[in-house]
Amino acid sequence: MEAFPILTLVTVAPLVGAGLIMFTARRRPGLVRGIATAVTGFSLLGSLWIFFAYDSSIGGYQFYAKYPLVPALGISFEVGVDGISLLLVLLTALIIFTGVFASWTIHVRNQEFYALLLTLVTGVFGVFVTLDLFVFFLFYELAVLPMYLLIGIWGTSAQVRPRGIFAWAIRETGLGSKEYAAMKLTLYLLLGSAFILVGILALYFAGGAGSFSLLDLEEAGFDPGLQRWVFLALYVGFGTLAGIWPLHTWSPDGHASAPTAVSMLHAGVLMKLGAYGIVRIAMGLLPEGTLDWVWLVGTIACINIVYGAFSAMAQTDLKYVVAYSSVSHMGIVLLGAATLTEAGLNGSVFQMFAHGIMTGLFFAIVGLVYEKSHTREILRMGGFGRRMPGVAAAFTIGGLSSLGLPGLSGFIAEILTFFGAWQSSYHWWLFPAVAGTFLTAIYILRVAKQIFWGPLDEGEHSHLPDAEGPEWVSLVVLSGVLILFGVLPALAIAPVDSATVALLDRLGVLP
Amino acid sequence: MVHLIWPIPALPLAGTLILVFFGRRLGARAHWVAVPSVGLAFVVALAAFLRVWRDGETFTGPLLDWIIAGDFRAPVTVQLDQLSAVMLLVVTGVGFLIHVYSIGYMHGDPGYPRFFAYLTLFVFSMVMLVLAGNFLLLYVFWEAVGLCSYLLIGFWYTRPAAADAGKKAFIVNRVGDFGFALGVMLLWVSLGTLEYDEVFAQAWALPTGTATAIALLLFAGACGKSAQLPLHTWLPDAMEGPTPVSALIHAATMVTAGVYMVARAHVLFERSGVALEVVAWVGILTALFAASIGLVQNDIKRILAYSTISQLGYMFAGVGVGAYAAGIYHLVTHAFFKALLFLAAGSIIHALGGEQDIRRMGGLARRLPVTTLTFLVAAVAIAGIPPFAGFFSKDEILAAAWASGHLGVYALGLLGAAFTAFYIFRLVFLAFFGPSRLDAEAARHLHESPPVMTIPLGFLAVLSAIGGVWGLPGEHGTPIARFLDPVLPHGEAALGPGTGPLLMAVAVATALGGILAAWRMYLRRPVPAERLGVPSNRLHVLLLGKYYVDELYDALFVRPLVAVSEWCARVFDLGVIDGLVNGAADLVGRWSSVLRRVQTGLVMNYALSMLVGAVILLGLLVRWR
């Protein structure tokens, strides 16, 4: 595998694309889109190749490569994928490839937009493939920071003003405006990174091997007292990005204000970065810390599931519904991980993928609907199914996956997580989890009915075309993936299982 | 044997896929794909049934592994035995007839190919549901048929009522499925397997409490799917779907899945004992409850919907008192006569250009002879008049209730039977006989349906008429009970000598009494048109309001849920969490504007503060020493 550094190429291709766009494509939006399509297409093909070439019967880190960067400090560019990151690399590639098409209609500074978007994606790929914690952190920041500009410049402010008894106080803060959202998101995530940095440095120094390599640190065997607080620091740090309750309020605002592709990427992939960090670093390196704190992780995850679903139910802005549904679904991811069972952990990773795809699909649809009807307010829509049957079908597929209908990816993730919850030491986790899928059904069906069913207001929405041209790409690809992995889950579960068993083995909880 | 099994689901699935991808191109020719795919599936199912019937050959085996995650394995196991063979025949046979009927009924609908795509998808899912050889697969297709139901109820999605009904069906079913999922999970935790044969072999080792919990949780799912109390509210609304859908999904097949499931898992219910009693009582109470609502409804499809709920209640009562074969037999005969009732009702609606209110019908017999005749056959069958099919199956259930000592169930069942005879003949008399109350427009539109619709009616009428042969009491129970014996063991009904004929006589007398009452009230001295359906007393109001269950649920569940969600989203999320966050930001802002004043930019001020600081530090140092 040394021969062809496919992982590195997949990772840096978007960054190269960003460079090309900045230097060669000034005022040529067609060329900008062409370059973006080419590099993300390359990454997609590469990750598909990796996905199918990965040998799950061997497991472990494959496509491994290591290039020393700062030998004195034990920093190197070390890459490799196991079953977990494998799936997430594919997810990232799918989302960004379709995201490029979903941003087709961005005309304002389209050069800078695509450059930032692609830079961000390199950060995401980097986080998933790197095995060196120092480089990991660099990529992590690279993935988070462009968000500020992307939302602040290309975002849209919500039309729905705050309501409720605190509305007067909230209006003052500018809640709902894109500037507020960008600032809130960035500050939150930077606060999270501070926790992560502290945790990583503690591990580096306590490890004593003078190395940031994950592989070296796995061997280190940390002091239980240290594990206790480092786990908590990492959990809070990564958890912020994963949208754990009560640190989640950046995400609805952020996702609702961001432009389509950024929402897709952020809810679809970046939130998984947080969950991935918890599974890979916090749980992978700190077995005793994990055992100390799973009760907290799982309990908060349960709150996420139910609270997110309830909050989604009350929203009247379509984007906020989807955003809160992410808060709810990320709960499934973390709950699955907290069960410390094979089924649960597989469910968790599968949910990272499944939720990534379906929320990407949702945001793509919201973007389309907004572009055509110029409203995000659910109550002002109705009967769109007649004019945009394709969009309605895609929304239905995503929605049914989200409420866990068998045959779609969401079901596999949820059922595995449920079985894991039963097997865990905390049986009661099952109940909020199952209740969450019930509540999901309520808000998803309500939205589907309100937007796509019922009579069409011919006056207000007289011109309402179905998806056209490049807009089909994200709808078809993403809903196809939801069905494919729902019908053939073994495609993903085989590699994931090889990685989760290894992880559970390290945690010493394998029966 | 496998080569006789896989085509049964594969054919309708292939039909669905062709319709999904090429439906738009096929347009009005969509039935050329759908009807043969289901028809061929029926032929194969018939061949498979004959194999099982003649040779007693059954098959259980995995087709492939679906999910494997550690000790959690989910193979796609199919099981073809006597029970699933009977169900397959019903699903594909009735399904085929209804597909043919739909060619006429749905003719010219803009969603024609979409309709057949959903309908074949339903047949595929239902076939897989009855073929499933483990609980996970059962659950998967349990949900899948629910999806088809949702899509087909909301088929005319631009109608707000249809959109609401689809949503309601899905959500109410979700409540039951919540229990079903927990039951499956509890089963897996207790036994470590979900395969039918392994579960039923080990079920006797389960503690009674666990078995009761599992059985009741599974039954919650059955209550949702089969519209039993307290989850029955979705089925009457589901009548917003096209009539063939009501016939196939909401009468003949999908709603009987709960009965099938309880019969299939009867070992678990027997292990519990209590659970079986619960099934019997929920069933018979639902039967009576729904029949009483049916007495006063005026929408032809709603009457039939409450009738379906009621008849499903009889089936549950049957399996609940241990007469599994009788319950399944009633399922089969009900599939014939209720599908027929719905299709004939559809023929009326078609003929009247959409009119569904029996108060605005009357005297249709002269103009719609085939529809009237077939409807009458079905009405006699459901009312329980020998020798029509419904008589034998319902009588089996009531006799089993009597024989097993469930006298309360028997008495309520008999009362329900009287109600049944009354409401169905009220419908018959008001719609087909007496003076015409049609408005001029409908009267002009009036015509008998085309052969493509009436021929399926004829087939179903024959089945409703002669379906009783399987239920003729014999030396060792009815033929169907003997056939199902390997799967559903039937205890010898310990009826005393002569009790059987006596019970039959009582049942026939009850049914005739109901018919007579309807005749006296609606035909002999017809109620004036303007007074039809006008409530005359409080009981009537209560029945017309369907006992106000929907209103009760709205107050008990819907409003509190909405309130909680409002609280989460507006009060807690915006108020408390964001309040703290924004408050923190505000605090930082305020403090920094205070501290900013210190930065005056005057060097003298800075020098002064340095001096003060140095003095303090020095002082501290000196003290420390």
Side-chain angles (χ1 to χ4, degrees):
Chain A
M1 293 298 167
E2 280 286 344
F4 191 67
I6 181 75
L7 275 182
T8 313
L9 288 179
V10 166
T11 305
V12 299
L15 192 63
V16 172
L20 281 176
I21 284 173
M22 283 315 282
F23 289 116
T24 65
R26 175 150 300 277
R27 292 210 187 82
R28 291 166 68 188
L31 182 63
V32 169
R33 289 193 283 258
I35 294 175
T37 312
V39 293
T40 55
F42 171 81
S43 289
L44 179 60
L45 289 178
S47 29
L48 277 173
W49 189 74
I50 296 170
F51 186 77
F52 287 107
Y54 184 89
D55 188 346
S56 348
S57 56
I58 303 172
Y61 291 106
Q62 298 179 15
F63 306 98
Y64 179 83
K66 186 170 185 174
Y67 316 95
L69 288 179
V70 189
L73 292 175
I75 299 171
S76 52
F77 186 76
E78 189 182 14
V79 294
V81 283
D82 70 350
I84 300 176
S85 37
L86 183 70
L87 202 58
L88 295 172
V89 168
L90 181 64
L91 168 71
T92 312
L94 281 167
I95 295 288
I96 183 59
F97 181 71
T98 53
V100 166
F101 290 94
S103 319
W104 218 251
T105 49
I106 286 193
H107 296 298
V108 184
R109 301 197 193 187
N110 112 320
Q111 185 190 16
E112 287 88 345
F113 176 80
Y114 275 104
L116 281 172
L117 195 64
L118 293 176
T119 310
L120 187 157
V121 169
T122 287
V124 179
F125 274 127
V127 169
F128 289 139
V129 301
T130 187
L131 298 177
D132 183 284
L133 289 191
F134 186 84
V135 178
F136 176 97
F137 191 74
L138 289 185
F139 276 125
Y140 185 87
E141 291 297 308
L142 191 63
V144 169
L145 286 178
M147 234 14 127
Y148 180 68
L149 298 172
L150 283 169
I151 297 176
I153 297 174
W154 290 275
T156 44
S157 301
Q159 299 166 321
V160 181
R161 302 303 303 156
R163 290 197 293 137
I165 56 171
F166 290 102
W168 59 271
I170 298 157
R171 242 170 247 140
E172 302 266 299
T173 64
L175 182 89
S177 75
K178 59 183 186 179
E179 291 81 9
Y180 171 82
M183 182 63 87
K184 189 174 184 180
L185 178 141
T186 312
L187 286 179
Y188 253 109
L189 298 189
L190 284 181
L191 183 73
S193 336
F195 279 93
I196 296 169
L197 187 61
V198 169
I200 286 178
L201 288 178
L203 291 180
Y204 174 70
F205 290 113
S211 162
F212 277 101
S213 168
L214 206 60
L215 302 179
D216 293 334
L217 291 171
E218 275 176 8
E219 307 296 319
F222 299 102
D223 169 60
L226 177 97
Q227 291 202 19
R228 227 182 137 79
W229 73 262
V230 173
F231 183 90
L232 202 59
L234 290 175
Y235 172 62
V236 171
F238 286 120
T240 308
L241 185 52
I244 61 169
W245 186 91
L247 304 173
H248 66 278
T249 57
W250 61 269
S251 89
D253 288 329
H255 294 163
S257 305
T260 300
V262 176
S263 304
M264 288 170 70
L265 206 64
H266 205 286
V269 185
L270 257 81
M271 289 181 95
K272 276 67 193 183
L273 272 184
Y276 174 78
I278 292 176
V279 171
R280 171 60 34 92
I281 298 183
M283 291 174 62
L285 297 184
L286 304 165
E288 282 154 70
T290 307
L291 296 179
D292 281 342
W293 288 110
V294 277
W295 65 269
L296 180 74
V297 179
T299 306
I300 298 244
C302 287
I303 299 180
N304 261 54
I305 295 174
V306 174
Y307 183 91
F310 268 124
S311 300
M313 217 190 284
Q315 302 303 319
T316 51
D317 181 315
L318 182 54
K319 259 191 152 176
Y320 273 92
V321 177
V322 179
Y324 273 105
S325 86
S326 291
V327 173
S328 175
H329 281 115
M330 286 306 290
I332 300 262
V333 171
L334 291 175
L335 180 66
T339 61
L340 300 184
T341 58
E342 198 177 341
L345 214 52
N346 283 343
S348 166
V349 178
F350 204 95
Q351 174 76 343
M352 291 187 206
F353 181 77
H355 173 250
I357 298 287
M358 70 192 157
T359 207
L361 178 62
F362 275 143
F363 277 119
I365 291 171
V366 178
L368 269 177
V369 170
Y370 177 67
E371 210 161 272
K372 295 176 194 303
S373 71
H374 305 290
T375 182
R376 279 166 27 191
E377 208 173 328
I378 296 167
L379 298 175
R380 288 180 55 197
M381 309 185 200
F384 286 10
R386 171 153 284 184
R387 291 291 167 81
M388 28 173 81
V391 178
F395 187 90
T396 309
I397 292 172
L400 294 173
S401 172
S402 152
L403 56 80
L405 192 90
L408 298 166
S409 306
F411 170 73
I412 311 290
E414 288 179 2
I415 196 95
L416 286 172
T417 307
F418 295 165
F419 276 103
W422 247 131
Q423 287 176 300
S424 75
S425 324
Y426 308 88
H427 297 310
W428 66 267
W429 283 350
L430 178 68
F431 297 98
V434 180
T437 65
F438 173 67
L439 296 172
T440 307
I442 297 182
Y443 69 75
I444 288 289
L445 295 177
R446 164 181 165 258
V447 168
K449 187 212 121 192
Q450 183 64 43
I451 300 178
F452 295 109
W453 294 21
L456 183 74
D457 183 343
E458 295 284 349
E460 192 172 355
H461 303 294
S462 52
H463 183 69
L464 204 63
D466 204 358
E468 45 208 352
E471 295 167 349
W472 281 114
V473 174
S474 48
L475 302 189
V476 172
V477 171
L478 297 179
S479 44
V481 170
L482 280 183
I483 296 174
L484 178 70
F485 282 86
V487 178
L488 299 172
L491 273 182
I493 288 182
V496 170
D497 194 52
S498 69
T500 50
V501 171
L503 175 62
L504 290 171
D505 190 36
R506 245 190 338 276
L507 287 167
V509 291
L510 221 50
Chain B
M1 196 69 173
V2 180
H3 64 277
L4 278 181
I5 296 178
W6 67 262
I8 308 176
L11 283 162
L13 179 64
T16 309
L17 292 177
I18 294 173
L19 286 168
V20 165
F21 289 109
F22 304 106
R24 211 170 282 186
R25 216 166 301 166
L26 284 166
R29 288 166 296 167
H31 57 266
W32 285 114
V33 175
V35 173
S37 74
V38 179
L40 284 174
F42 171 66
V43 172
V44 181
L46 193 62
F49 174 80
L50 289 176
R51 281 282 283 280
V52 177
W53 182 58
R54 217 182 39 219
D55 312 336
E57 192 184 340
T58 60
F59 174 85
T60 305
L63 287 185
L64 55 122
D65 269 322
W66 192 41
I67 317 176
I68 314 173
D71 46 352
F72 176 75
R73 270 186 79 237
V76 176
T77 313
V78 297
Q79 177 161 352
L80 181 71
D81 55 14
Q82 285 80 1
L83 179 56
S84 32
V86 169
M87 292 295 293
L88 278 182
L89 274 192
V90 172
V91 173
T92 54
V94 176
F96 171 66
L97 291 175
I98 291 174
H99 271 72
V100 174
Y101 175 93
S102 306
I103 300 175
Y105 192 85
M106 298 303 288
H107 178 77
D109 192 283
Y112 195 70
R114 186 164 57 92
F115 178 79
F116 278 109
Y118 292 165
L119 214 55
T120 48
L121 179 65
F122 169 75
V123 173
F124 160 72
S125 310
M126 193 67 205
V127 162
M128 284 306 292
L129 189 152
V130 295
L131 275 176
N134 62 43
F135 280 96
L136 189 74
L137 208 59
L138 177 71
Y139 178 70
V140 166
F141 287 99
W142 186 269
E143 294 283 297
V145 290
L147 166 70
C148 299
S149 161
Y150 163 73
L151 292 172
L152 282 164
I153 294 170
F155 178 74
W156 287 316
Y157 58 86
T158 47
R159 294 186 187 169
D164 280 327
K167 189 181 76 160
K168 181 173 175 184
F170 204 115
I171 291 174
V172 173
N173 267 294
R174 273 265 140 172
V175 178
D177 295 347
F178 185 88
F180 195 94
L182 291 181
V184 170
M185 224 147 299
L186 189 56
L187 194 60
W188 184 67
V189 174
S190 320
L191 294 177
T193 176
L194 291 175
E195 300 296 311
Y196 285 160
D197 43 5
E198 293 171 27
V199 167
F200 300 144
Q202 299 169 29
W204 291 105
L206 280 173
T208 316
T210 316
T212 304
I214 293 172
L216 288 181
L217 286 168
L218 293 178
F219 183 58
C223 280
K225 191 109 308 181
S226 299
Q228 297 295 291
L229 284 175
L231 299 177
H232 65 283
T233 54
W234 65 272
L235 189 58
D237 289 14
M239 297 300 122
E240 292 297 334
T243 304
V245 171
S246 311
L248 179 60
I249 301 187
H250 303 120
T253 54
M254 183 194 81
V255 287
T256 60
V259 182
Y260 164 78
M261 190 271 292
V262 174
R264 172 63 79 192
H266 67 274
V267 182
L268 288 167
F269 286 82
E270 274 177 15
R271 175 70 194 94
S272 151
V274 182
L276 215 50
E277 288 295 308
V278 172
V279 172
W281 281 101
V282 168
I284 204 65
L285 287 174
T286 308
L288 195 64
F289 171 86
S292 71
I293 298 177
L295 294 175
V296 301
Q297 297 300 309
N298 297 313
D299 181 309
I300 187 167
K301 287 184 75 181
R302 300 255 162 169
I303 299 174
L304 295 181
Y306 280 105
S307 161
T308 304
I309 300 176
S310 166
Q311 296 297 311
L312 289 164
Y314 278 107
M315 296 174 209
F316 277 110
V319 294
V321 299
Y324 309 116
I328 294 297
Y329 182 41
H330 196 54
L331 186 161
V332 175
T333 59
H334 175 258
F336 298 151
F337 61 68
K338 188 53 68 62
L340 176 53
L341 286 173
F342 268 113
L343 295 187
S347 174
I348 299 174
I349 297 167
H350 193 74
L352 296 181
E355 181 60 71
Q356 302 197 10
D357 193 328
I358 55 172
R359 287 172 299 185
R360 288 195 289 275
M361 295 181 186
L364 296 176
R366 285 181 299 274
R367 305 291 299 275
L368 308 173
V370 183
T371 306
T372 308
L373 187 67
T374 50
F375 197 97
L376 212 52
V377 170
V380 175
I382 192 177
I385 302 294
F388 293 87
F391 166 73
F392 292 98
S393 51
K394 199 192 293 182
D395 185 62
E396 275 294 304
I397 291 173
L398 292 180
W402 177 278
S404 61
H406 291 82
L407 294 185
V409 173
Y410 175 79
L412 293 178
L414 207 57
L415 184 57
F419 285 2
T420 309
F422 179 85
Y423 68 65
I424 204 71
F425 272 89
R426 170 177 175 265
L427 168 54
V428 168
F429 294 145
L430 283 179
F432 295 106
F433 301 104
S436 170
R437 293 179 299 279
L438 298 175
D439 54 43
E441 168 64 29
R444 208 172 27 252
H445 191 262
L446 193 61
H447 63 283
E448 181 62 285
S449 299
V452 75
M453 287 165 70
T454 49
I455 290 171
L457 293 182
F459 272 102
L460 285 169
V462 171
L463 287 170
S464 306
I466 64 162
V469 292
W470 274 16
L472 288 170
E475 187 81 9
H476 302 286
T478 58
I480 185 144
R482 284 203 303 275
F483 174 67
L484 290 174
D485 194 53
V487 194
L488 304 173
H490 64 297
E492 283 298 315
L495 282 176
T499 316
L502 185 68
L503 291 181
M504 281 191 184
V506 171
V508 174
T510 314
L512 288 175
I515 297 173
L516 197 66
W519 178 72
R520 282 177 61 103
M521 286 175 72
Y522 295 103
L523 203 57
R524 202 175 58 141
R525 255 180 300 138
V527 187
E530 67 278 3
R531 277 195 35 224
L532 264 182
V534 177
S536 46
N537 56 34
R538 283 211 186 148
L539 184 64
H540 196 169
V541 174
L542 184 67
L543 290 180
L544 209 53
K546 301 141 197 165
Y547 295 99
Y548 298 101
V549 178
D550 278 325
E551 287 75 8
L552 183 73
Y553 287 177
D554 190 53
L556 278 183
F557 305 112
V558 179
R559 278 159 206 271
L561 271 181
V562 170
V564 171
S565 83
E566 288 283 327
W567 184 85
C568 281
R570 311 242 183 277
V571 179
F572 199 80
D573 221 52
L574 287 184
V576 179
I577 299 182
D578 269 358
L580 285 174
V581 171
N582 294 327
D586 199 41
L587 214 60
V588 170
R590 273 167 215 258
W591 269 103
S592 57
S593 57
V594 170
L595 288 176
R596 191 184 54 192
R597 303 220 178 116
V598 181
Q599 311 295 323
T600 53
L602 295 175
V603 181
M604 265 165 41
N605 283 359
Y606 293 162
L608 182 66
S609 58
M610 276 170 71
L611 184 68
V612 173
V615 168
I616 292 172
L617 280 177
L618 263 174
L620 284 175
L621 264 174
V622 170
R623 256 193 81 92
W624 231 313
R625 287 284 154 87

